Amino acid sequence: LCYAMLCYATLFELGAAWTLATSRRQEVSAYFFGRPEHRPWVGAELAPVLAPPVLRRGAFQLCQTPAILRYLGRLYGRAGFGSLEEEAQGEALLQCIMDYFAEGRAAFHPVDPLGSFQKQQVAAEPYIRRFAAERVPRFIQHFELVLARNVQRSDFAIGACAAPTYVDIALFQAFRATEAQWKDTFARMRNVPHFRAFGARMASRPRIAAYLASPECMPFSGDSMM
């Protein structure tokens, strides 16, 4: 769900015209695992997809959230890094953000990655405590350093961009996840002013504000990074 919401936020900020095909669990499951008639992409010109979320644009479809964000950023002119080196730094930051989400989810699901949190809650407790104590501060301090290094160039994470890139939108989702899922840990962190200011700036952008007020922006579950 976190990855789907990240794609929704990106589509809102880019001003893209889009429709949500489905978010129903049964329909999504059928699309990936059901009978061939429920998987119209099998044997067709559409590329195979492993897992949701999936972007469809005509005869083109794409899975994997980082790839979707990169594609949308380039399609809508929000991949405006000034050099190959800046683009590489942006990609490195995006990978750090994805690692943050993945590690956070793994802490809540140490026994069965696809199982419910409730069925492994006792086993998860030490992993959750460790992630809150060690990994959340490590990631957030890294994000703070990235933003602080770029503060004289722009309001965003990488380069002198006049508008947020797809990487900034992902970083904003990391901010929201931290604020919602690790509230107490985040509250104790006094030395991340640039990260907090970045989150406030992004939330005030008209299209991001529209996303935050939309049905597509669902509350975090409280038992994962989702």
Side-chain angles (χ1 to χ4, degrees):
L1 183 58
C2 179
Y3 298 135
M5 289 197 295
L6 177 48
C7 292
Y8 299 156
T10 302
L11 290 163
F12 268 84
E13 171 59 28
L14 297 179
W18 64 285
T19 57
L20 178 62
T22 184
S23 60
R24 296 177 180 176
R25 184 179 296 273
Q26 288 182 335
E27 293 179 4
V28 171
S29 179
Y31 191 81
F32 291 94
F33 308 111
R35 295 171 60 86
E37 60 266 29
H38 297 301
R39 294 186 289 164
W41 52 272
V42 174
E45 60 181 301
L46 292 171
V49 285
L50 178 66
V54 170
L55 175 72
R56 282 277 300 272
R57 184 172 181 247
F60 171 76
Q61 73 173 2
L62 182 67
C63 68
Q64 294 294 340
T65 302
I68 292 172
L69 300 186
R70 188 179 306 112
Y71 172 77
L72 290 171
R74 291 177 177 173
L75 183 66
Y76 285 90
R78 292 295 188 88
F81 302 110
S83 66
L84 179 62
E85 288 73 20
E86 285 185 1
E87 182 178 4
Q89 288 173 337
E91 286 296 312
L93 177 57
L94 181 61
Q95 188 59 60
C96 289
I97 295 165
M98 294 298 120
D99 287 349
Y100 181 45
F101 292 146
E103 285 192 34
R105 176 168 173 75
F108 286 92
H109 300 81
V111 177
D112 181 1
L114 300 180
S116 71
F117 169 66
Q118 287 71 25
K119 292 182 178 180
Q120 50 195 311
Q121 185 170 355
V122 174
E125 287 178 358
Y127 294 92
I128 295 170
R129 288 195 298 270
R130 177 184 176 275
F131 189 79
E134 299 177 16
R135 300 302 286 160
V136 173
R138 180 74 175 95
F139 277 105
I140 301 310
Q141 287 163 3
H142 176 68
F143 301 151
E144 171 70 14
L145 289 172
V146 170
L147 290 162
R149 179 178 181 271
N150 205 54
V151 71
Q152 298 300 324
R153 302 189 67 193
S154 78
D155 288 337
F156 307 110
I158 306 291
C161 301
T165 67
Y166 61 93
V167 178
D168 293 298
I169 301 169
L171 185 57
F172 176 62
Q173 184 70 359
F175 173 85
R176 292 189 62 244
T178 305
E179 198 173 44
Q181 303 289 140
W182 309 102
K183 185 176 181 179
D184 293 342
T185 299
F186 194 30
R188 290 192 294 270
M189 297 184 69
R190 306 295 184 185
N191 59 341
V192 289
H194 296 94
F195 186 60
R196 294 182 189 279
F198 171 82
R201 283 196 304 273
M202 289 292 291
S204 70
R205 293 184 63 82
R207 288 175 177 169
I208 292 293
Y211 160 69
L212 295 173
S214 74
E216 287 77 18
C217 183
M218 291 167 276
F220 285 88
S221 65
D223 59 10
S224 184
M225 288 291 277
M226 305 296 176

